[in-house]
Amino acid sequence: MPFPEIELADSAEFARTPLPRVLIALHRAKYNGSLVLHNGRQQRRFVFQAGSPVLSESNLASDSLAAHLREQRLISAEGYPPVLDYARKREVSEGAALLALRILEPVQLFHALREQIRDRLVDSMRWQKGRYELAPTGEENLDIEPLGWDLPPLIHRALADHWTVDRLLNSLSPRLLLYPRMGPGFARAVQRLELSPDHRSHMAALHETRSVSESLGAGLTATPVLAALWVLDSLGTLDFAEAPPERRQDEVLTEFDAEIELALVDGDGSEKVDEVPANEAPSQLCTETETLRLKIQTLRAGLGTLDHYQLLDVSPKLKSAAIKKAYIEAAKRYHPDVLARLGLQDIKTEASEVFSQLTQAFDVLSNPEMREAYDAEQRGELSGSDAQILAQAETTYRKGEILLRMGDFGGALRYLESAVKIWPDEGVYRSALGWALYKQPCPDPKAAREHLTSAVELSPGDPVAHFRLGMVLRALGESQTAQNLLDRAKQLEPQSD
């Protein structure tokens, strides 16, 4: 179920087709022609060639070449009037005047014009109101091709800067509970985006055996990660299924990019071909295989006694990023299907148990709340059963929270009710459940009030709980109490809304 090609109307409102979606469609269609954007009295025009913006015009004073050059400190405000005077008298462009007056070198003007295209386009993606118009030409001008920009990185940057987490989650909601499958262009597309190492690792965590939300984990709250998923999905580099694939007995994951053939001569003179990693000799591979076998058997024997940190071979002092790196390395080393590649099929059952425990350990340690509960249990502050219950409640709550952010309040209720039932003394759970009850298609403000009142009592310093209770009480007609709660929310968190 890849993202389909987008059929654009010649003109439409941004409310119907957001500008990033328009740009993705033009990129995929290798569009030649103009794109005119209107937002009230503001107007910008972009010329596209083979799906890339190569020229731009604007009626905004802040978009002028003079303003851009002043911002880049390439010219002063006093130095630009002679440029305009020269351009008017000679009937040439401002760029030609800048070159003729030797104020800029050609390479400086080239970069300034390119950056002007980029800045105008990225800023336009803030517009939620307005419309676009297309005027295809079908022609190409090779002289202006070098000015073009690669659109996906620009779209990713604009989404990460201008769209909220909630808006991205709402747009991605049909995908989050599905199982991703990476297409042949996925890795290359990821490399084109400007992602930090931590955000890039979230993309690497996508796997067909886990839903998107399970794969991304904490990345669901990071706009660069969600923006990257939006772009990669829209480019058609991802496919999605409603269930994970059934593993075949003979299916293996190849962890080596390069292989060579080692030809051995049998007694009858025929060649016997074995494949080994290009950088490893047979004897070295044999030694490492036996070492790996021993390591798996040792881990399997200690599953009942090793804690999560010992399983992942990390220090309890390490941060989440380092733990994630350790898990990825362990997953590459101990995955049962990878071991089949090394001829270790006979310990596949043991490896599966080890891998399952490694994944469980990472799930706990990569979640701040679950890790805190686990550490408390290790210190003897919580019983094992309490920690297990708390971890279950937190996992259930996270699923409900995702649906809550996506605006699926009815769908969130099932998970949030379960979380509150498991751990009723957690104010955040009560707050989320109360809000879902209030915002669902058939609101239940009285039940919402009960849970939100408990949330405020359990978490008196939580501005969100105060704000939500205030909104519910306002709907119930208790205006003065509602206003007091809303004022208190502002005191606790000035940015609360």
Tab-separated table of all heavy atoms in Angstrom, residues 213-247:
chain	number	residue	atom	x	y	z
A	213	SER	N	4.389	2.969	14.727
A	213	SER	CA	4.438	3.594	16.053
A	213	SER	C	5.368	2.836	16.987
A	213	SER	O	6.111	3.442	17.771
A	213	SER	CB	3.029	3.677	16.654
A	213	SER	OG	2.462	2.386	16.813
A	214	GLU	N	5.367	1.516	16.922
A	214	GLU	CA	6.269	0.718	17.766
A	214	GLU	C	7.718	0.924	17.347
A	214	GLU	O	8.614	0.974	18.189
A	214	GLU	CB	5.902	-0.759	17.672
A	214	GLU	CG	4.569	-1.099	18.324
A	214	GLU	CD	4.143	-2.538	18.056
A	214	GLU	OE1	4.489	-3.081	16.988
A	214	GLU	OE2	3.462	-3.105	18.914
A	215	SER	N	7.965	1.041	16.051
A	215	SER	CA	9.332	1.209	15.556
A	215	SER	C	9.904	2.569	15.950
A	215	SER	O	11.067	2.664	16.358
A	215	SER	CB	9.366	1.068	14.035
A	215	SER	OG	8.981	-0.221	13.618
A	216	LEU	N	9.100	3.621	15.828
A	216	LEU	CA	9.610	4.966	16.079
A	216	LEU	C	9.721	5.283	17.561
A	216	LEU	O	10.593	6.042	17.961
A	216	LEU	CB	8.715	5.994	15.394
A	216	LEU	CG	8.706	5.975	13.862
A	216	LEU	CD1	7.858	7.104	13.331
A	216	LEU	CD2	10.126	6.078	13.301
A	217	GLY	N	8.846	4.720	18.378
A	217	GLY	CA	8.938	4.958	19.824
A	217	GLY	C	8.898	6.443	20.151
A	217	GLY	O	7.988	7.177	19.780
A	218	ALA	N	9.952	6.906	20.843
A	218	ALA	CA	10.013	8.308	21.257
A	218	ALA	C	10.086	9.255	20.069
A	218	ALA	O	9.808	10.452	20.205
A	218	ALA	CB	11.224	8.525	22.172
A	219	GLY	N	10.419	8.747	18.888
A	219	GLY	CA	10.470	9.586	17.694
A	219	GLY	C	9.124	10.157	17.308
A	219	GLY	O	9.054	11.110	16.524
A	220	LEU	N	8.036	9.608	17.858
A	220	LEU	CA	6.699	10.109	17.552
A	220	LEU	C	6.459	11.499	18.120
A	220	LEU	O	5.456	12.135	17.796
A	220	LEU	CB	5.639	9.146	18.100
A	220	LEU	CG	5.489	7.816	17.351
A	220	LEU	CD1	4.577	6.896	18.121
A	220	LEU	CD2	4.952	8.046	15.946
A	221	THR	N	7.352	11.982	18.964
A	221	THR	CA	7.205	13.331	19.514
A	221	THR	C	8.201	14.305	18.905
A	221	THR	O	8.271	15.457	19.334
A	221	THR	CB	7.387	13.310	21.042
A	221	THR	OG1	8.713	12.841	21.367
A	221	THR	CG2	6.368	12.404	21.703
A	222	ALA	N	8.984	13.877	17.920
A	222	ALA	CA	10.006	14.727	17.296
A	222	ALA	C	9.554	15.128	15.891
A	222	ALA	O	9.349	14.270	15.036
A	222	ALA	CB	11.349	13.991	17.237
A	223	THR	N	9.396	16.417	15.649
A	223	THR	CA	8.927	16.862	14.333
A	223	THR	C	9.875	16.469	13.194
A	223	THR	O	9.388	16.109	12.118
A	223	THR	CB	8.688	18.383	14.313
A	223	THR	OG1	9.847	19.061	14.793
A	223	THR	CG2	7.487	18.756	15.166
A	224	PRO	N	11.216	16.499	13.360
A	224	PRO	CA	12.069	16.075	12.238
A	224	PRO	C	11.839	14.615	11.845
A	224	PRO	O	11.900	14.276	10.653
A	224	PRO	CB	13.492	16.296	12.773
A	224	PRO	CG	13.352	17.338	13.820
A	224	PRO	CD	12.036	17.054	14.466
A	225	VAL	N	11.569	13.749	12.830
A	225	VAL	CA	11.323	12.330	12.541
A	225	VAL	C	9.991	12.163	11.819
A	225	VAL	O	9.895	11.467	10.801
A	225	VAL	CB	11.345	11.500	13.840
A	225	VAL	CG1	10.939	10.048	13.559
A	225	VAL	CG2	12.725	11.541	14.469
A	226	LEU	N	8.947	12.804	12.338
A	226	LEU	CA	7.633	12.696	11.705
A	226	LEU	C	7.637	13.331	10.315
A	226	LEU	O	7.011	12.820	9.383
A	226	LEU	CB	6.577	13.369	12.579
A	226	LEU	CG	6.320	12.708	13.940
A	226	LEU	CD1	5.355	13.544	14.766
A	226	LEU	CD2	5.772	11.298	13.764
A	227	ALA	N	8.361	14.458	10.171
A	227	ALA	CA	8.462	15.098	8.854
A	227	ALA	C	9.184	14.185	7.862
A	227	ALA	O	8.806	14.102	6.690
A	227	ALA	CB	9.195	16.431	8.980
A	228	ALA	N	10.213	13.490	8.333
A	228	ALA	CA	10.934	12.556	7.458
A	228	ALA	C	10.018	11.416	7.018
A	228	ALA	O	10.003	11.031	5.839
A	228	ALA	CB	12.159	12.000	8.183
A	229	LEU	N	9.230	10.878	7.960
A	229	LEU	CA	8.295	9.804	7.612
A	229	LEU	C	7.274	10.301	6.597
A	229	LEU	O	6.930	9.588	5.647
A	229	LEU	CB	7.602	9.293	8.877
A	229	LEU	CG	6.618	8.134	8.690
A	229	LEU	CD1	7.338	6.894	8.180
A	229	LEU	CD2	5.902	7.825	10.006
A	230	TRP	N	6.784	11.526	6.787
A	230	TRP	CA	5.809	12.119	5.859
A	230	TRP	C	6.401	12.194	4.449
A	230	TRP	O	5.760	11.813	3.472
A	230	TRP	CB	5.427	13.510	6.356
A	230	TRP	CG	4.268	14.159	5.662
A	230	TRP	CD1	2.980	14.215	6.110
A	230	TRP	CD2	4.282	14.843	4.414
A	230	TRP	NE1	2.194	14.889	5.205
A	230	TRP	CE2	2.969	15.285	4.147
A	230	TRP	CE3	5.268	15.126	3.474
A	230	TRP	CZ2	2.621	16.004	2.999
A	230	TRP	CZ3	4.933	15.836	2.314
A	230	TRP	CH2	3.625	16.268	2.098
A	231	VAL	N	7.634	12.693	4.341
A	231	VAL	CA	8.274	12.845	3.027
A	231	VAL	C	8.550	11.484	2.392
A	231	VAL	O	8.249	11.261	1.212
A	231	VAL	CB	9.584	13.648	3.163
A	231	VAL	CG1	10.375	13.622	1.852
A	231	VAL	CG2	9.283	15.095	3.559
A	232	LEU	N	9.098	10.549	3.169
A	232	LEU	CA	9.432	9.228	2.634
A	232	LEU	C	8.184	8.478	2.176
A	232	LEU	O	8.200	7.784	1.151
A	232	LEU	CB	10.182	8.421	3.698
A	232	LEU	CG	11.554	8.974	4.089
A	232	LEU	CD1	12.064	8.285	5.350
A	232	LEU	CD2	12.555	8.814	2.960
A	233	ASP	N	7.107	8.629	2.929
A	233	ASP	CA	5.842	8.012	2.532
A	233	ASP	C	5.314	8.649	1.246
A	233	ASP	O	4.920	7.953	0.303
A	233	ASP	CB	4.830	8.171	3.668
A	233	ASP	CG	3.460	7.580	3.341
A	233	ASP	OD1	3.392	6.674	2.481
A	233	ASP	OD2	2.467	8.013	3.943
A	234	SER	N	5.331	9.980	1.189
A	234	SER	CA	4.798	10.683	0.023
A	234	SER	C	5.611	10.409	-1.236
A	234	SER	O	5.084	10.447	-2.348
A	234	SER	CB	4.761	12.192	0.301
A	234	SER	OG	3.919	12.486	1.398
A	235	LEU	N	6.904	10.134	-1.065
A	235	LEU	CA	7.751	9.824	-2.213
A	235	LEU	C	7.504	8.426	-2.760
A	235	LEU	O	7.986	8.077	-3.840
A	235	LEU	CB	9.229	9.964	-1.835
A	235	LEU	CG	9.760	11.385	-1.649
A	235	LEU	CD1	11.192	11.349	-1.119
A	235	LEU	CD2	9.702	12.169	-2.954
A	236	GLY	N	6.769	7.603	-2.007
A	236	GLY	CA	6.492	6.241	-2.447
A	236	GLY	C	7.608	5.264	-2.151
A	236	GLY	O	7.651	4.173	-2.726
A	237	THR	N	8.524	5.619	-1.227
A	237	THR	CA	9.629	4.714	-0.891
A	237	THR	C	9.242	3.708	0.184
A	237	THR	O	10.047	2.852	0.550
A	237	THR	CB	10.863	5.503	-0.413
A	237	THR	OG1	10.543	6.190	0.807
A	237	THR	CG2	11.299	6.523	-1.451
A	238	LEU	N	8.034	3.846	0.740
A	238	LEU	CA	7.550	2.928	1.768
A	238	LEU	C	6.268	2.260	1.306
A	238	LEU	O	5.436	2.880	0.645
A	238	LEU	CB	7.277	3.677	3.070
A	238	LEU	CG	8.484	4.105	3.910
A	238	LEU	CD1	8.053	5.088	4.980
A	238	LEU	CD2	9.152	2.899	4.543
A	239	ASP	N	6.136	1.000	1.658
A	239	ASP	CA	4.890	0.266	1.461
A	239	ASP	C	4.399	-0.117	2.854
A	239	ASP	O	5.184	-0.168	3.804
A	239	ASP	CB	5.146	-0.973	0.599
A	239	ASP	CG	3.849	-1.592	0.093
A	239	ASP	OD1	2.777	-1.023	0.379
A	239	ASP	OD2	3.906	-2.641	-0.563
A	240	PHE	N	3.106	-0.380	2.992
A	240	PHE	CA	2.562	-0.685	4.313
A	240	PHE	C	1.618	-1.871	4.235
A	240	PHE	O	0.895	-2.049	3.248
A	240	PHE	CB	1.812	0.526	4.880
A	240	PHE	CG	2.690	1.713	5.144
A	240	PHE	CD1	2.914	2.644	4.145
A	240	PHE	CD2	3.295	1.885	6.368
A	240	PHE	CE1	3.731	3.746	4.363
A	240	PHE	CE2	4.117	2.976	6.605
A	240	PHE	CZ	4.333	3.908	5.599
A	241	ALA	N	1.639	-2.690	5.285
A	241	ALA	CA	0.753	-3.845	5.381
A	241	ALA	C	0.006	-3.777	6.707
A	241	ALA	O	0.465	-3.158	7.667
A	241	ALA	CB	1.546	-5.141	5.288
A	242	GLU	N	-1.150	-4.431	6.768
A	242	GLU	CA	-1.953	-4.412	7.985
A	242	GLU	C	-1.461	-5.406	9.025
A	242	GLU	O	-1.890	-5.356	10.175
A	242	GLU	CB	-3.415	-4.706	7.647
A	242	GLU	CG	-4.067	-3.629	6.787
A	242	GLU	CD	-5.535	-3.895	6.547
A	242	GLU	OE1	-6.017	-4.975	6.968
A	242	GLU	OE2	-6.199	-3.031	5.951
A	243	ALA	N	-0.555	-6.293	8.628
A	243	ALA	CA	-0.023	-7.284	9.564
A	243	ALA	C	1.424	-7.566	9.181
A	243	ALA	O	1.829	-7.366	8.029
A	243	ALA	CB	-0.848	-8.573	9.514
A	244	PRO	N	2.253	-8.001	10.149
A	244	PRO	CA	3.639	-8.342	9.814
A	244	PRO	C	3.677	-9.569	8.918
A	244	PRO	O	2.767	-10.400	8.938
A	244	PRO	CB	4.266	-8.626	11.187
A	244	PRO	CG	3.115	-9.029	12.049
A	244	PRO	CD	1.943	-8.226	11.564
A	245	PRO	N	4.725	-9.718	8.124
A	245	PRO	CA	4.806	-10.875	7.231
A	245	PRO	C	5.042	-12.157	8.010
A	245	PRO	O	5.641	-12.147	9.082
A	245	PRO	CB	6.015	-10.537	6.342
A	245	PRO	CG	6.865	-9.655	7.198
A	245	PRO	CD	5.911	-8.844	8.012
A	246	GLU	N	4.558	-13.256	7.469
A	246	GLU	CA	4.842	-14.552	8.067
A	246	GLU	C	6.240	-14.972	7.649
A	246	GLU	O	6.583	-14.965	6.469
A	246	GLU	CB	3.822	-15.600	7.593
A	246	GLU	CG	2.409	-15.319	8.066
A	246	GLU	CD	1.457	-16.424	7.644
A	246	GLU	OE1	1.930	-17.409	7.047
A	246	GLU	OE2	0.250	-16.283	7.910
A	247	ARG	N	7.049	-15.330	8.646
A	247	ARG	CA	8.434	-15.678	8.354
A	247	ARG	C	8.516	-17.072	7.772
A	247	ARG	O	7.947	-18.015	8.295
A	247	ARG	CB	9.292	-15.625	9.630
A	247	ARG	CG	9.194	-14.289	10.359
A	247	ARG	CD	9.787	-13.163	9.566
A	247	ARG	NE	11.225	-13.311	9.468
A	247	ARG	CZ	12.006	-12.475	8.787
A	247	ARG	NH1	11.474	-11.481	8.119
A	247	ARG	NH2	13.306	-12.656	8.742
